[in-house]
């Protein structure tokens, strides 16, 4: 087959138009095009009055070699790559050794466990939170009744933080082995919609994610994997050899037992702060890393649709519009949109008592009234939180605690209208044409009570700039809700080329919490890579 990319057609084109465009692009005579399949479809909306759909296609033609030769040097006409996945190793029949352990059942841990199970290694998955159905009930308890369960919430539990999000499945990571295709294929097997295989910016939505995660658990268990829910890792047993080499030997669990473990995937997510401290105290190599903090900003989705798509707003093929914005401010900081959720809501995402954290989510339909996005400012360790690798956690907690107080100390979130933020004054009174979606509720106040001055200054400069790019973005009634602090992990548990901790053999830092991913897809891909490296070491050691 031939992989044809960057083929653009008008929004209202027909299937016949697409077929004709393929033939014309490849210079095919009548009858030479046998069939084609859509690999990916996106849109180019830079010209709102002439939006085009952009395709990547796999095409079967007569005399493929001749067509490829005629387009030699054309980067958009290439042989179709092999995107199928084959496990690189399998445990031999009757294999037995200490089973690998995966800490965390988010996207990274889930895919790591699945790959290990498919290789016959029967992983044990240790998850501090609850199974996804019970976890969902606890999460709604915070949103509806202001009751926080510290071990079962948006951050902790089966499926990880990505379960209560937009379910975005696209990434900018380099992926020469097409591991992202493996992730998407497994998600579809588990019940995700088929269109995630073809849409340029696929997403699942929370309700679909819940059932999908359950189906993947059943697959892992059928292959010999074992889940231990509501089980927190309290400490790490590390052995030191005579030559100073450190190796993981086991995990002390919250049920009082010690689980022997020589190969451990650390996929704990970016909010497992107590685990970070335990690892640091145990001497595992860790470094501070950049992240970002800011707010969630909400607009009526119809405003964003009109600004992005003009007269084509509401077109079913285009769906609700998204945006991506970035601005380098005069103070040297970058303000950018983060985790944009079309047709979604802002949600309470704290995992610690007495703190407020926001995040965004949406269902597969993206049919709710508002669009929301993180609007965040970059934070650098040396500049903003010097004091060692754990200082970023203290930094996040400080602002989350102030947000809790500013919101009324009842898990309501502090909010402010754009007009008041730009004027440097507190918001009060009633909401205007934009009503925030955050539950348990939003208290209008002054966000400077819970964000650093340089963040407020950066937002004041960037918002009018973004208003010139998206009409209505800086409307006076637009509401910002604070605080968004969990954009990524504030630490990195640095690993070597073998994917193991720099100073603790057998420990495989992975995913967002370890500082190696930034979203569902990149975390899942990292889980596959780590599982493969672990299996190579485990089976190699067993063979020796």
């Amino acid at each position: 087959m031939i992989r044809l990319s960057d083929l653009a057609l008008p929004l209202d084109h027909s299937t016949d138009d697409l077929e004709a465009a393929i033939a014309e692009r490849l210079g095919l005579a009548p009858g030479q095009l046998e069939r084609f399949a859509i690999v990916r479809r996106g849109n180019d909306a830079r010209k709102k009055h002439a939006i085009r759909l952009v395709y990547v296609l796999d095409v079967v033609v007569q005399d493929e070699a001749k067509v490829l030769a005629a387009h030699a040097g054309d980067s958009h006409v290439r042989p179709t790559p092999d995107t199928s996945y084959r496990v690189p190793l399998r445990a031999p029949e009757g294999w037995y050794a200490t089973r690998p352990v995966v800490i965390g059942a988010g996207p990274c841990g889930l895919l790591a466990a699945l790959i290990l199970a498919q290789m016959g290694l029967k992983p044990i998955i240790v998850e501090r939170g609850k199974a996804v159905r019970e976890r969902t009930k606890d999460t709604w308890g915070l949103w509806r009744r202001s009751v926080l369960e510290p071990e079962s919430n948006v951050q902790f539990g089966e499926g990880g933080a990505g379960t209560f999000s937009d379910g975005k499945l696209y990434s900018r990571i380099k992926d020469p082995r097409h591991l992202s295709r493996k992730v998407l294929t497994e998600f579809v097997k588990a019940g995700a919609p088929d269109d995630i295989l073809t849409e340029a910016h696929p997403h699942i939505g929370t309700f679909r994610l819940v059932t999908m995660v359950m189906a993947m658990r059943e697959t892992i268990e059928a292959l010999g994997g074992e889940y231990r829910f509501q089980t927190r890792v309290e400490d790490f047993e590390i052995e030191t050899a005579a030559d100073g080499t450190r190796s993981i030997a086991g995990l002390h669990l919250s049920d009082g037992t010690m689980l022997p473990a020589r190969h451990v995937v650390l996929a704990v997510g970016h909010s497992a702060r107590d685990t970070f401290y335990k690892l640091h105290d145990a001497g595992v190599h860790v470094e501070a890393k950049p992240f970002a903090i800011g707010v969630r900003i909400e607009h009526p989705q119809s405003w964003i649709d009109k600004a992005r798509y003009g007269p084509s707003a509401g077109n079913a093929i285009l769906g609700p519009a998204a945006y991506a914005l970035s601005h380098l401010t005069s103070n040297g900081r970058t303000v950018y949109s983060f985790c944009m959720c079309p047709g979604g809501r802002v949600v309470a995402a704290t995992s610690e008592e007495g703190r407020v954290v926001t995040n965004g989510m949406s269902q597969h339909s993206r049919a709710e009234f508002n669009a929301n996005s993180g609007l965040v400012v970059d934070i650098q360790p040396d500049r903003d939180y010097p004091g060692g690798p754990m200082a970023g956690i203290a930094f996040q907690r400080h602002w989350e605690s102030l947000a809790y107080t500013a919101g009324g100390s009842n898990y309501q979130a502090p909010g402010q209208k754009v007009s008041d933020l730009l004027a440097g004054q507190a918001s009060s009174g009633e909401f205007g044409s934009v009503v925030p979606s955050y539950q348990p509720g939003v208290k209008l106040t002054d966000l400077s009570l819970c964000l650093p001055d340089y963040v407020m200054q950066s937002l004041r400069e960037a918002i009018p700039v973004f208003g010139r790019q998206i009409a209505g973005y800086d409307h006076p009634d637009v509401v910002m809700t604070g605080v968004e602090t969990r954009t990524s992990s504030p630490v990195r548990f640095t690993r070597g080329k073998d994917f193991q901790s720099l100073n603790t053999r057998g420990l495989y830092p992975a995913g967002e919490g370890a500082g190696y991913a930034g979203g569902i897809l990149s975390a899942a891909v990292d889980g596959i890579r780590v599982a493969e490296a672990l299996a190579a070491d485990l089976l190699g050691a067993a063979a020796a």
Side-chain angles (χ1 to χ4, degrees), residues 3-6 25 71-78:
R3 175 65 57 86
L4 174 60
S5 59
D6 199 33
R25 178 68 177 80
H71 293 274
D74 187 340
S75 62
H76 298 299
V77 182
R78 287 282 187 266

Side-chain angles (χ1 to χ4, degrees), residues 10 15 30 73 79 158 246 279 283 314 333 379 393 439 457 519 531 538 544:
T15 302
E158 185 181 20
R246 293 159 44 91
L279 289 160
R333 297 178 184 271
I379 302 296
I393 297 174
Q439 294 297 329
Q457 176 187 344
L538 175 57

Side-chain angles (χ1 to χ4, degrees), residues 513-524:
Y516 286 98
I520 293 174
L521 189 60
S522 62

Side-chain angles (χ1 to χ4, degrees), residues 189-269:
K189 288 180 183 177
D194 290 344
D195 62 16
I196 69 172
L197 297 172
T198 55
E199 289 301 307
H201 293 91
H203 73 287
I204 298 177
T206 290
F207 288 164
R208 291 284 190 97
L209 278 163
V210 168
T211 56
M212 186 192 80
V213 166
M214 294 171 61
M216 295 184 75
R217 184 210 315 160
E218 292 174 358
T219 298
I220 292 168
E221 290 177 332
L223 293 170
E226 174 190 340
Y227 277 77
R228 299 189 185 184
F229 290 113
Q230 295 180 260
T231 305
R232 185 177 60 255
V233 176
E234 298 282 13
D235 210 346
F236 297 81
E237 187 76 17
I238 296 174
E239 295 178 345
T240 304
D243 63 358
T245 302
R246 293 159 44 91
S247 301
I248 191 78
L251 306 172
H252 294 275
L253 304 179
S254 57
D255 62 7
T257 63
M258 205 283 277
L259 176 65
R262 294 289 179 179
H263 292 80
V264 176
V265 177
L266 183 69
V268 295

Side-chain angles (χ1 to χ4, degrees), residues 35-119:
R35 65 182 185 276
F36 65 90
I38 297 172
V39 176
R40 188 75 72 214
R41 184 185 71 180
N43 68 72
D44 180 353
R46 287 174 294 179
K47 297 180 179 179
K48 290 184 286 188
H49 293 272
I51 295 175
R52 298 169 71 81
L53 296 181
V54 184
Y55 289 91
V56 178
L57 306 122
D58 279 340
V59 182
V60 177
V61 301
Q62 294 177 8
D63 201 347
E64 179 180 308
K66 180 179 179 180
V67 173
L68 287 171
H71 293 274
D74 187 340
S75 62
H76 298 299
V77 182
R78 287 282 187 266
T80 296
D82 182 2
T83 60
S84 58
Y85 180 83
R86 301 169 186 84
V87 292
L89 297 164
R90 289 188 186 276
E93 199 68 35
W95 173 87
Y96 178 80
T98 302
R99 296 163 70 181
V101 177
V102 178
I103 308 175
C108 179
L110 185 63
L111 265 294
L114 179 65
I115 297 301
L116 291 171
Q118 290 175 345
M119 289 191 281

Side-chain angles (χ1 to χ4, degrees), residues 132-148:
V132 69
R133 284 291 189 198
E134 291 77 14
R135 175 196 178 197
T136 300
K137 296 175 185 176
D138 292 336
T139 300
W140 281 97
L142 174 60
W143 296 350
R144 291 174 173 172
R145 303 190 309 277
S146 298
V147 177
L148 172 67

Side-chain angles (χ1 to χ4, degrees), residues 363-377:
Q363 304 301 340
H364 183 66
S365 64
R366 289 177 165 172
E368 297 192 54
F369 187 73
N370 281 357
N372 77 80
S373 171
L375 183 62
V376 295
V377 180

